[in-house]
Amino acid sequence: MTIDAHQHFWHYNPVKHSWIDNAMAVIRKDFLPSDLKKVFEENDIDGCVAVQADQTLQETYFLLDLAKSNDFIKGIVGWVDLRDKGIGPVLEKYGEQKKIKGFRHIVQGEADHNFLLRPDFMRGISHLEKYGYTYDILIFPHQLGATLEFVKRFPNQRFVIDHMGKPYIKDGFFDGWAILMKEIAKHENVYCKLSGMITEADFNSWTPEQIIPYMNVVLEVFGPDRLMYGSDWPVCLVAGNYARVKQLVINFITDLSTTEQQKIMGGNAINFYNLK
């Protein structure tokens, strides 16, 4: 199966989605499964993982409801307040919902560069393994140092770095990001998504040649067994279209074996998120 390991749905709300600025105005509207199903049919995608875009329990239930009525949504990454002292029973309750595969916090939006390392957050993370949940790490490059320390603390927890750690492709900043990604990748419980790349480059003038050096790094350090394709639809639409995003990855992995390509384009996501 070909799986898109990272995309979003929403009913657009200018307050809730205030992060969608004027430069991203093209996505100031609703994006729902009926929209994505057409895109998937055109691009030969069999299923997806829907990822939270809002930090509320309502968001988790919204995605769950969509997954229940749309079989191509194979799993969801929701949100819970992992800093809540009562997180254990909350996670146990979610265990009844088989399409909840893991959770994510929008750490990139936290002013505290060491948010991941704070005791209350790490206490919450420590409960995930017991229930078999994954955790998506959404950060900016200046948070990679904390991320390295974070993943060291939880050697048995399945982690995935969203959007390759959001390197500053537009600015051409490379070395600091690359060094830390290499160190993080030494921890074999950490995966990485080939996603969100074109929106870290210049929306209007990006080229594959600008992005490929960053893709080369993550392929080298994570290998084909720990990379997974994700479109970041509909956010990707501010800098291109679905076909261009998919083709960027397809062209990049063309010299890999058929088995390795299949892993990146679906197999790794199925295994990581335990998709059915």
Side-chain angles (χ1 to χ4, degrees):
M1 293 179 71
T2 301
I3 300 292
D4 182 339
H6 197 105
Q7 55 76 217
H8 307 285
F9 297 113
W10 59 67
H11 289 291
Y12 176 68
N13 179 299
V15 176
K16 183 163 65 173
H17 301 109
S18 59
W19 57 271
I20 303 177
D21 60 22
N22 290 337
M24 306 171 77
V26 68
I27 58 172
R28 283 178 170 164
K29 60 180 183 178
D30 295 352
F31 287 95
L32 296 168
S34 57
D35 304 304
L36 186 58
K37 189 173 183 180
K38 298 172 191 172
V39 173
F40 278 0
E41 288 170 353
E42 294 167 359
N43 290 276
D44 298 318
I45 304 293
D46 299 305
C48 65
V49 177
V51 180
Q52 60 84 222
D54 185 44
Q55 301 198 129
T56 63
L57 294 178
Q58 288 83 357
E59 172 83 347
T60 303
Y61 285 112
F62 166 65
L63 294 178
L64 260 181
D65 287 344
L66 294 182
K68 287 176 182 176
S69 54
N70 295 274
D71 188 56
F72 73 89
I73 304 174
K74 302 300 183 184
I76 74 159
V77 174
W79 182 87
V80 289
D81 187 356
L82 290 164
R83 296 166 292 179
D84 183 349
K85 290 181 179 178
I87 189 64
V90 175
L91 294 175
E92 188 169 8
K93 183 181 71 172
Y94 279 132
E96 302 166 4
Q97 306 290 342
K98 298 307 180 187
K99 284 206 172 180
I100 298 184
K101 303 302 181 179
F103 297 95
R104 183 176 84 153
H105 188 92
I106 303 176
V107 177
Q108 70 173 32
E110 295 291 343
D112 180 359
H113 292 189
N114 294 307
F115 177 89
L116 289 170
L117 300 175
R118 299 309 176 193
D120 55 352
F121 189 75
M122 289 201 299
R123 183 185 62 243
I125 291 290
S126 72
H127 288 276
L128 296 180
E129 182 189 348
K130 174 182 176 181
Y131 299 100
Y133 291 125
T134 64
Y135 182 75
D136 271 55
I137 301 174
L138 177 64
I139 41 121
F140 284 130
H142 70 263
Q143 296 164 311
L144 283 169
T147 300
L148 175 59
E149 296 296 327
F150 176 66
V151 300
K152 282 181 179 180
R153 307 280 181 94
F154 302 99
N156 299 312
Q157 172 61 47
R158 283 175 294 154
F159 293 115
V160 60
I161 306 284
D162 287 351
H163 313 325
M164 304 195 310
K166 306 195 79 168
Y168 301 120
I169 299 172
K170 182 178 179 179
D171 297 310
F173 300 156
F174 182 85
D175 291 342
W177 166 85
I179 288 168
L180 283 166
M181 288 295 280
K182 182 175 182 179
E183 290 301 311
I184 290 167
K186 290 178 181 177
H187 300 272
E188 295 188 358
N189 57 315
V190 185
Y191 287 61
C192 181
K193 290 184 182 178
L194 286 169
S195 62
M197 297 172 288
I198 67 172
T199 47
E200 297 307 319
D202 187 284
F203 291 173
N204 300 309
S205 62
W206 68 269
T207 65
E209 291 71 26
Q210 294 166 346
I211 299 172
I212 284 171
Y214 298 87
M215 299 171 77
N216 279 332
V217 168
V218 295
L219 178 59
E220 176 187 349
V221 300
F222 287 94
D225 291 338
R226 289 189 288 142
L227 289 182
M228 50 183 105
Y229 161 71
S231 68
D232 200 26
W233 181 96
V235 181
C236 65
L237 301 179
V238 306
N241 58 41
Y242 196 98
R244 288 183 74 192
V245 171
K246 183 187 175 189
Q247 201 59 46
L248 176 65
V249 176
I250 292 291
N251 290 346
F252 174 68
I253 64 176
T254 189
D255 291 333
L256 299 181
S257 71
T258 300
T259 299
E260 290 171 334
Q261 292 182 47
Q262 289 172 343
K263 286 179 177 179
I264 291 171
M265 296 305 296
N268 292 339
I270 291 170
N271 291 334
F272 180 84
Y273 287 115
N274 191 27
L275 306 180
K276 306 297 183 184

Short mmCIF file of all heavy atoms in Angstrom, two decimals, residues 89-111:
data_model
loop_
_atom_site.label_atom_id
_atom_site.label_comp_id
_atom_site.label_asym_id
_atom_site.label_seq_id
_atom_site.Cartn_x
_atom_site.Cartn_y
_atom_site.Cartn_z
N PRO A 89 -5.07 7.59 32.93
CA PRO A 89 -6.44 7.15 32.64
C PRO A 89 -6.98 7.69 31.31
O PRO A 89 -7.77 7.03 30.65
CB PRO A 89 -7.23 7.73 33.82
CG PRO A 89 -6.23 7.87 34.93
CD PRO A 89 -4.94 8.24 34.25
N VAL A 90 -6.54 8.88 30.93
CA VAL A 90 -6.97 9.44 29.63
C VAL A 90 -6.48 8.55 28.50
O VAL A 90 -7.23 8.20 27.58
CB VAL A 90 -6.45 10.89 29.46
CG1 VAL A 90 -6.79 11.42 28.07
CG2 VAL A 90 -7.05 11.79 30.53
N LEU A 91 -5.20 8.18 28.55
CA LEU A 91 -4.64 7.32 27.51
C LEU A 91 -5.30 5.95 27.52
O LEU A 91 -5.54 5.36 26.45
CB LEU A 91 -3.13 7.19 27.71
CG LEU A 91 -2.30 8.46 27.52
CD1 LEU A 91 -0.84 8.19 27.87
CD2 LEU A 91 -2.42 9.00 26.10
N GLU A 92 -5.60 5.45 28.69
CA GLU A 92 -6.26 4.14 28.79
C GLU A 92 -7.63 4.19 28.13
O GLU A 92 -8.03 3.26 27.42
CB GLU A 92 -6.39 3.73 30.25
CG GLU A 92 -6.88 2.31 30.43
CD GLU A 92 -6.76 1.83 31.86
OE1 GLU A 92 -6.43 2.65 32.75
OE2 GLU A 92 -6.98 0.62 32.08
N LYS A 93 -8.34 5.27 28.32
CA LYS A 93 -9.66 5.43 27.70
C LYS A 93 -9.55 5.45 26.17
O LYS A 93 -10.36 4.84 25.47
CB LYS A 93 -10.31 6.73 28.19
CG LYS A 93 -11.73 6.94 27.67
CD LYS A 93 -12.32 8.24 28.17
CE LYS A 93 -11.67 9.45 27.52
NZ LYS A 93 -12.37 10.72 27.86
N TYR A 94 -8.52 6.14 25.67
CA TYR A 94 -8.34 6.20 24.22
C TYR A 94 -7.97 4.84 23.63
O TYR A 94 -8.09 4.62 22.42
CB TYR A 94 -7.26 7.21 23.86
CG TYR A 94 -7.74 8.65 23.83
CD1 TYR A 94 -7.02 9.65 24.47
CD2 TYR A 94 -8.90 8.99 23.15
CE1 TYR A 94 -7.45 10.97 24.44
CE2 TYR A 94 -9.34 10.31 23.12
CZ TYR A 94 -8.61 11.29 23.76
OH TYR A 94 -9.04 12.59 23.74
N GLY A 95 -7.51 3.92 24.49
CA GLY A 95 -7.14 2.60 24.00
C GLY A 95 -8.27 1.86 23.33
O GLY A 95 -8.05 0.94 22.54
N GLU A 96 -9.50 2.27 23.61
CA GLU A 96 -10.67 1.65 22.97
C GLU A 96 -10.81 2.10 21.52
O GLU A 96 -11.53 1.46 20.74
CB GLU A 96 -11.93 2.05 23.75
CG GLU A 96 -11.90 1.65 25.22
CD GLU A 96 -12.98 2.35 26.02
OE1 GLU A 96 -13.81 3.08 25.42
OE2 GLU A 96 -13.01 2.16 27.26
N GLN A 97 -10.13 3.19 21.16
CA GLN A 97 -10.25 3.74 19.81
C GLN A 97 -9.04 3.29 18.98
O GLN A 97 -7.96 3.85 19.06
CB GLN A 97 -10.30 5.27 19.87
CG GLN A 97 -11.37 5.83 20.79
CD GLN A 97 -12.76 5.60 20.25
OE1 GLN A 97 -12.96 5.32 19.07
NE2 GLN A 97 -13.77 5.71 21.12
N LYS A 98 -9.24 2.25 18.20
CA LYS A 98 -8.11 1.60 17.54
C LYS A 98 -7.45 2.46 16.47
O LYS A 98 -6.32 2.19 16.08
CB LYS A 98 -8.57 0.27 16.92
CG LYS A 98 -9.10 -0.74 17.95
CD LYS A 98 -8.09 -0.98 19.07
CE LYS A 98 -8.61 -1.97 20.10
NZ LYS A 98 -7.71 -2.07 21.27
N LYS A 99 -8.14 3.48 15.99
CA LYS A 99 -7.51 4.31 14.96
C LYS A 99 -6.64 5.43 15.54
O LYS A 99 -5.96 6.12 14.79
CB LYS A 99 -8.56 4.89 14.00
CG LYS A 99 -9.06 3.84 13.00
CD LYS A 99 -9.58 4.45 11.72
CE LYS A 99 -9.88 3.39 10.68
NZ LYS A 99 -10.38 3.97 9.40
N ILE A 100 -6.64 5.60 16.86
CA ILE A 100 -5.69 6.53 17.47
C ILE A 100 -4.35 5.80 17.58
O ILE A 100 -4.21 4.84 18.34
CB ILE A 100 -6.14 7.01 18.85
CG1 ILE A 100 -7.44 7.79 18.75
CG2 ILE A 100 -5.05 7.89 19.48
CD1 ILE A 100 -7.90 8.39 20.08
N LYS A 101 -3.39 6.28 16.83
CA LYS A 101 -2.08 5.62 16.79
C LYS A 101 -1.03 6.33 17.65
O LYS A 101 -0.04 5.73 18.05
CB LYS A 101 -1.59 5.54 15.34
CG LYS A 101 -2.56 4.82 14.41
CD LYS A 101 -2.85 3.41 14.89
CE LYS A 101 -3.80 2.67 13.95
NZ LYS A 101 -4.07 1.29 14.43
N GLY A 102 -1.23 7.60 17.87
CA GLY A 102 -0.25 8.34 18.66
C GLY A 102 -0.71 9.77 18.88
O GLY A 102 -1.86 10.13 18.57
N PHE A 103 0.23 10.58 19.37
CA PHE A 103 -0.10 11.95 19.74
C PHE A 103 1.01 12.90 19.30
O PHE A 103 2.13 12.50 19.01
CB PHE A 103 -0.34 12.04 21.25
CG PHE A 103 -1.51 11.22 21.70
CD1 PHE A 103 -1.32 9.94 22.19
CD2 PHE A 103 -2.80 11.71 21.59
CE1 PHE A 103 -2.40 9.15 22.58
CE2 PHE A 103 -3.89 10.94 21.97
CZ PHE A 103 -3.69 9.67 22.47
N ARG A 104 0.65 14.20 19.28
CA ARG A 104 1.62 15.23 18.91
C ARG A 104 1.29 16.50 19.68
O ARG A 104 0.12 16.81 19.93
CB ARG A 104 1.56 15.52 17.40
CG ARG A 104 2.59 16.54 16.95
CD ARG A 104 2.57 16.72 15.44
NE ARG A 104 1.56 17.67 15.00
CZ ARG A 104 1.63 18.39 13.88
NH1 ARG A 104 2.66 18.24 13.06
NH2 ARG A 104 0.67 19.22 13.55
N HIS A 105 2.33 17.20 20.06
CA HIS A 105 2.20 18.54 20.63
C HIS A 105 2.92 19.49 19.69
O HIS A 105 3.96 19.15 19.12
CB HIS A 105 2.82 18.58 22.03
CG HIS A 105 2.56 19.86 22.76
ND1 HIS A 105 1.48 20.04 23.61
CD2 HIS A 105 3.23 21.05 22.77
CE1 HIS A 105 1.50 21.27 24.10
NE2 HIS A 105 2.55 21.90 23.61
N ILE A 106 2.38 20.70 19.52
CA ILE A 106 3.00 21.66 18.61
C ILE A 106 4.15 22.35 19.34
O ILE A 106 4.07 23.52 19.74
CB ILE A 106 1.95 22.64 18.04
CG1 ILE A 106 0.85 21.85 17.33
CG2 ILE A 106 2.61 23.62 17.06
CD1 ILE A 106 -0.30 22.69 16.80
N VAL A 107 5.22 21.59 19.53
CA VAL A 107 6.37 22.07 20.29
C VAL A 107 7.04 23.25 19.58
O VAL A 107 7.60 24.13 20.23
CB VAL A 107 7.37 20.92 20.54
CG1 VAL A 107 8.61 21.42 21.28
CG2 VAL A 107 6.69 19.80 21.34
N GLN A 108 6.95 23.29 18.26
CA GLN A 108 7.56 24.41 17.52
C GLN A 108 6.96 25.75 17.97
O GLN A 108 7.60 26.80 17.82
CB GLN A 108 7.37 24.24 16.02
CG GLN A 108 5.93 24.42 15.54
CD GLN A 108 5.81 24.41 14.03
OE1 GLN A 108 6.56 23.75 13.33
NE2 GLN A 108 4.84 25.16 13.52
N GLY A 109 5.75 25.73 18.52
CA GLY A 109 5.10 26.96 18.94
C GLY A 109 5.39 27.35 20.38
O GLY A 109 4.89 28.38 20.86
N GLU A 110 6.17 26.54 21.08
CA GLU A 110 6.47 26.82 22.49
C GLU A 110 7.67 27.76 22.60
O GLU A 110 8.72 27.52 21.98
CB GLU A 110 6.76 25.51 23.24
CG GLU A 110 5.58 24.56 23.33
CD GLU A 110 4.47 25.09 24.23
OE1 GLU A 110 4.74 26.01 25.03
OE2 GLU A 110 3.33 24.58 24.12
N ALA A 111 7.54 28.81 23.41
CA ALA A 111 8.63 29.77 23.59
C ALA A 111 9.82 29.16 24.31
O ALA A 111 10.97 29.57 24.11
CB ALA A 111 8.12 30.98 24.37
#
